[in-house]
Short mmCIF file of all heavy atoms in Angstrom, two decimals:
data_model
loop_
_atom_site.label_atom_id
_atom_site.label_comp_id
_atom_site.label_asym_id
_atom_site.label_seq_id
_atom_site.Cartn_x
_atom_site.Cartn_y
_atom_site.Cartn_z
N PHE A 39 7.76 5.63 9.16
CA PHE A 39 6.53 6.01 8.48
C PHE A 39 6.72 6.05 6.97
O PHE A 39 5.90 5.52 6.22
CB PHE A 39 6.01 7.35 8.98
CG PHE A 39 4.84 7.88 8.18
CD1 PHE A 39 3.70 7.12 8.02
CD2 PHE A 39 4.91 9.11 7.57
CE1 PHE A 39 2.62 7.59 7.27
CE2 PHE A 39 3.85 9.59 6.81
CZ PHE A 39 2.70 8.82 6.67
N LEU A 40 7.80 6.65 6.52
CA LEU A 40 8.01 6.75 5.07
C LEU A 40 8.21 5.38 4.43
O LEU A 40 7.71 5.12 3.33
CB LEU A 40 9.17 7.69 4.77
CG LEU A 40 8.93 9.16 5.16
CD1 LEU A 40 10.18 10.00 4.91
CD2 LEU A 40 7.72 9.75 4.45
N LEU A 41 8.90 4.49 5.12
CA LEU A 41 9.06 3.12 4.60
C LEU A 41 7.74 2.36 4.62
O LEU A 41 7.39 1.65 3.67
CB LEU A 41 10.12 2.37 5.40
CG LEU A 41 11.57 2.76 5.13
CD1 LEU A 41 12.49 2.15 6.18
CD2 LEU A 41 11.98 2.31 3.72
N LYS A 42 6.99 2.52 5.70
CA LYS A 42 5.71 1.83 5.79
C LYS A 42 4.75 2.37 4.73
O LYS A 42 3.95 1.63 4.17
CB LYS A 42 5.11 1.96 7.18
CG LYS A 42 3.96 1.00 7.42
CD LYS A 42 3.72 0.77 8.89
CE LYS A 42 2.76 -0.38 9.11
NZ LYS A 42 2.67 -0.72 10.52
N PHE A 43 4.85 3.66 4.46
CA PHE A 43 4.05 4.26 3.39
C PHE A 43 4.33 3.56 2.07
O PHE A 43 3.41 3.22 1.33
CB PHE A 43 4.37 5.76 3.29
CG PHE A 43 3.47 6.50 2.34
CD1 PHE A 43 2.34 7.15 2.81
CD2 PHE A 43 3.75 6.54 0.99
CE1 PHE A 43 1.51 7.82 1.95
CE2 PHE A 43 2.92 7.21 0.11
CZ PHE A 43 1.79 7.86 0.60
N GLN A 44 5.61 3.32 1.78
CA GLN A 44 5.98 2.62 0.55
C GLN A 44 5.42 1.20 0.53
O GLN A 44 4.98 0.71 -0.50
CB GLN A 44 7.50 2.59 0.38
CG GLN A 44 8.11 3.93 0.09
CD GLN A 44 7.49 4.60 -1.12
OE1 GLN A 44 6.99 5.69 -1.03
NE2 GLN A 44 7.53 3.95 -2.26
N TYR A 45 5.42 0.56 1.68
CA TYR A 45 4.87 -0.79 1.77
C TYR A 45 3.36 -0.76 1.52
O TYR A 45 2.82 -1.61 0.80
CB TYR A 45 5.20 -1.43 3.12
CG TYR A 45 4.59 -2.80 3.27
CD1 TYR A 45 5.00 -3.85 2.46
CD2 TYR A 45 3.59 -3.04 4.20
CE1 TYR A 45 4.43 -5.11 2.56
CE2 TYR A 45 3.01 -4.29 4.31
CZ TYR A 45 3.43 -5.31 3.49
OH TYR A 45 2.85 -6.55 3.60
N VAL A 46 2.67 0.21 2.11
CA VAL A 46 1.22 0.34 1.89
C VAL A 46 0.95 0.58 0.40
O VAL A 46 0.02 0.02 -0.17
CB VAL A 46 0.63 1.47 2.76
CG1 VAL A 46 -0.80 1.81 2.33
CG2 VAL A 46 0.66 1.09 4.23
N GLU A 47 1.77 1.41 -0.23
CA GLU A 47 1.60 1.66 -1.66
C GLU A 47 1.74 0.37 -2.47
O GLU A 47 0.96 0.10 -3.38
CB GLU A 47 2.61 2.70 -2.13
CG GLU A 47 2.45 3.11 -3.56
CD GLU A 47 3.36 4.26 -3.97
OE1 GLU A 47 4.39 4.49 -3.30
OE2 GLU A 47 3.03 4.92 -4.95
N PHE A 48 2.71 -0.45 -2.12
CA PHE A 48 2.89 -1.74 -2.77
C PHE A 48 1.66 -2.62 -2.57
O PHE A 48 1.13 -3.19 -3.52
CB PHE A 48 4.14 -2.44 -2.20
CG PHE A 48 4.24 -3.89 -2.57
CD1 PHE A 48 4.64 -4.27 -3.84
CD2 PHE A 48 3.92 -4.87 -1.65
CE1 PHE A 48 4.71 -5.62 -4.19
CE2 PHE A 48 4.00 -6.20 -1.98
CZ PHE A 48 4.38 -6.58 -3.25
N GLU A 49 1.18 -2.71 -1.33
CA GLU A 49 0.01 -3.53 -1.03
C GLU A 49 -1.24 -2.99 -1.72
O GLU A 49 -2.09 -3.77 -2.16
CB GLU A 49 -0.22 -3.63 0.49
CG GLU A 49 0.80 -4.49 1.20
CD GLU A 49 0.70 -5.97 0.84
OE1 GLU A 49 -0.36 -6.43 0.35
OE2 GLU A 49 1.68 -6.69 1.05
N LEU A 50 -1.37 -1.67 -1.81
CA LEU A 50 -2.51 -1.08 -2.50
C LEU A 50 -2.50 -1.46 -3.97
O LEU A 50 -3.54 -1.81 -4.55
CB LEU A 50 -2.50 0.44 -2.34
CG LEU A 50 -3.59 1.21 -3.07
CD1 LEU A 50 -4.99 0.74 -2.66
CD2 LEU A 50 -3.44 2.71 -2.80
N THR A 51 -1.34 -1.44 -4.58
CA THR A 51 -1.22 -1.84 -5.97
C THR A 51 -1.62 -3.30 -6.14
O THR A 51 -2.36 -3.65 -7.07
CB THR A 51 0.21 -1.60 -6.48
OG1 THR A 51 0.54 -0.22 -6.31
CG2 THR A 51 0.37 -1.97 -7.93
N GLN A 52 -1.17 -4.16 -5.24
CA GLN A 52 -1.55 -5.57 -5.28
C GLN A 52 -3.06 -5.74 -5.13
O GLN A 52 -3.68 -6.55 -5.83
CB GLN A 52 -0.82 -6.36 -4.18
CG GLN A 52 0.68 -6.38 -4.28
CD GLN A 52 1.14 -7.05 -5.55
OE1 GLN A 52 0.76 -8.16 -5.86
NE2 GLN A 52 1.97 -6.36 -6.30
N LEU A 53 -3.66 -4.97 -4.23
CA LEU A 53 -5.10 -5.03 -4.02
C LEU A 53 -5.86 -4.60 -5.27
O LEU A 53 -6.82 -5.26 -5.69
CB LEU A 53 -5.50 -4.15 -2.83
CG LEU A 53 -7.00 -4.05 -2.55
CD1 LEU A 53 -7.57 -5.39 -2.15
CD2 LEU A 53 -7.24 -3.02 -1.45
N LEU A 54 -5.42 -3.52 -5.89
CA LEU A 54 -6.08 -3.05 -7.10
C LEU A 54 -6.00 -4.09 -8.22
O LEU A 54 -6.98 -4.31 -8.94
CB LEU A 54 -5.48 -1.72 -7.57
CG LEU A 54 -5.83 -0.51 -6.70
CD1 LEU A 54 -4.96 0.68 -7.07
CD2 LEU A 54 -7.31 -0.17 -6.80
N LEU A 55 -4.86 -4.74 -8.32
CA LEU A 55 -4.72 -5.81 -9.32
C LEU A 55 -5.68 -6.95 -9.02
O LEU A 55 -6.34 -7.48 -9.93
CB LEU A 55 -3.28 -6.32 -9.35
CG LEU A 55 -2.26 -5.40 -9.98
CD1 LEU A 55 -0.84 -5.86 -9.65
CD2 LEU A 55 -2.46 -5.32 -11.48
N SER A 56 -5.80 -7.33 -7.76
CA SER A 56 -6.72 -8.41 -7.37
C SER A 56 -8.16 -8.04 -7.68
O SER A 56 -8.94 -8.87 -8.17
CB SER A 56 -6.60 -8.70 -5.88
OG SER A 56 -5.34 -9.21 -5.56
N MET A 57 -8.51 -6.79 -7.40
CA MET A 57 -9.87 -6.34 -7.66
C MET A 57 -10.17 -6.31 -9.16
O MET A 57 -11.25 -6.71 -9.59
CB MET A 57 -10.09 -4.97 -7.01
CG MET A 57 -10.04 -5.04 -5.49
SD MET A 57 -9.93 -3.44 -4.68
CE MET A 57 -11.62 -2.89 -4.81
N ASP A 58 -9.20 -5.86 -9.94
CA ASP A 58 -9.36 -5.87 -11.40
C ASP A 58 -9.57 -7.30 -11.91
O ASP A 58 -10.46 -7.54 -12.73
CB ASP A 58 -8.12 -5.28 -12.08
CG ASP A 58 -8.23 -3.81 -12.38
OD1 ASP A 58 -9.33 -3.24 -12.22
OD2 ASP A 58 -7.22 -3.22 -12.79
N LEU A 59 -8.76 -8.23 -11.42
CA LEU A 59 -8.88 -9.62 -11.86
C LEU A 59 -10.21 -10.23 -11.44
O LEU A 59 -10.83 -10.99 -12.19
CB LEU A 59 -7.71 -10.45 -11.33
CG LEU A 59 -6.36 -10.15 -11.97
CD1 LEU A 59 -5.24 -10.88 -11.22
CD2 LEU A 59 -6.35 -10.53 -13.44
#
Side-chain angles (χ1 to χ4, degrees):
F39 172 56
L40 294 176
L41 285 168
K42 194 159 191 173
F43 187 94
Q44 291 305 122
Y45 177 65
V46 168
E47 185 173 22
F48 167 77
E49 288 293 339
L50 177 57
T51 302
Q52 297 298 307
L53 176 64
L54 288 168
L55 287 166
S56 295
M57 293 167 77
D58 267 351
L59 289 172

